[in-house]
Amino acid sequence: MFWFGEPQPSDAELAEGVRLVRLINTTRREHNLNPLTHLEILDNTAWIMVLEMLKLDYTKGSHLDTQGLWPSDRAKKVGYLASVTESLASNARSAQAALDSWMRKPEDRKNILRRDLWATGVAIHKNNYVQVFGTESSKYS
């Protein structure tokens, strides 16, 4: 359940999010890394940014939203207190296309393959993809 309000993701977007998490975990396993745990609280964090991407000129690739918040600020807003990092893809046609794009970008590839990350959340809306990665399992309320 998303706390942020309207619009809500469609059933197809929710299913695509599940597919994205599976693809990310497959990629991690291929690199001898543990799979990420999918957390709703991080889905909520990602949802804030996916809606912001509709307002932003995302071509600049900024992780700063229109409220002046960074990924860690958005995570704290929903109650996740540990460190987070974020990957964004605009105009992606599928979860596979978003993953392929991220794996070509050094910073996003690093996010996907970081050993210290244990959790993830995703949001997809109107071909905008956001994946949030979290550390430290004990630091969320």
Side-chain angles (χ1 to χ4, degrees), residues 28 32-37 42 80 82-85 109-120 133-138:
R28 287 178 60 85
N32 298 315
L33 297 169
N34 290 330
L36 300 171
T37 300
L42 291 178
Y80 192 85
S83 296
V84 298
T85 188
R109 181 182 176 87
K110 180 181 164 187
N111 286 344
I112 292 166
L113 300 178
R114 275 181 54 183
R115 289 191 182 280
D116 64 323
L117 299 176
W118 79 274
T120 191
F133 302 89
T135 63
E136 301 186 44
S137 62
S138 63

Side-chain angles (χ1 to χ4, degrees), residues 23-41:
L23 289 168
I24 294 288
N25 281 333
T26 296
T27 301
R28 287 178 60 85
R29 280 188 209 95
E30 289 169 356
H31 289 85
N32 298 315
L33 297 169
N34 290 330
L36 300 171
T37 300
H38 189 179
L39 294 180
E40 184 177 294
I41 195 168

Side-chain angles (χ1 to χ4, degrees), residues 56-107:
L56 297 170
D57 174 9
Y58 180 68
T59 57
K60 296 177 183 167
S62 177
H63 293 270
L64 184 67
D65 69 22
T66 59
Q67 304 297 312
L69 301 176
W70 293 100
S72 59
D73 300 319
R74 292 187 290 275
K76 287 175 187 160
K77 189 174 181 178
V78 301
Y80 192 85
L81 306 178
S83 296
V84 298
T85 188
E86 178 180 76
S87 292
L88 309 174
S90 62
N91 299 314
R93 300 260 185 235
S94 67
Q96 186 66 58
L99 175 60
D100 292 346
S101 171
W102 292 332
M103 291 301 285
R104 287 190 300 271
K105 298 175 187 169
E107 195 62 34

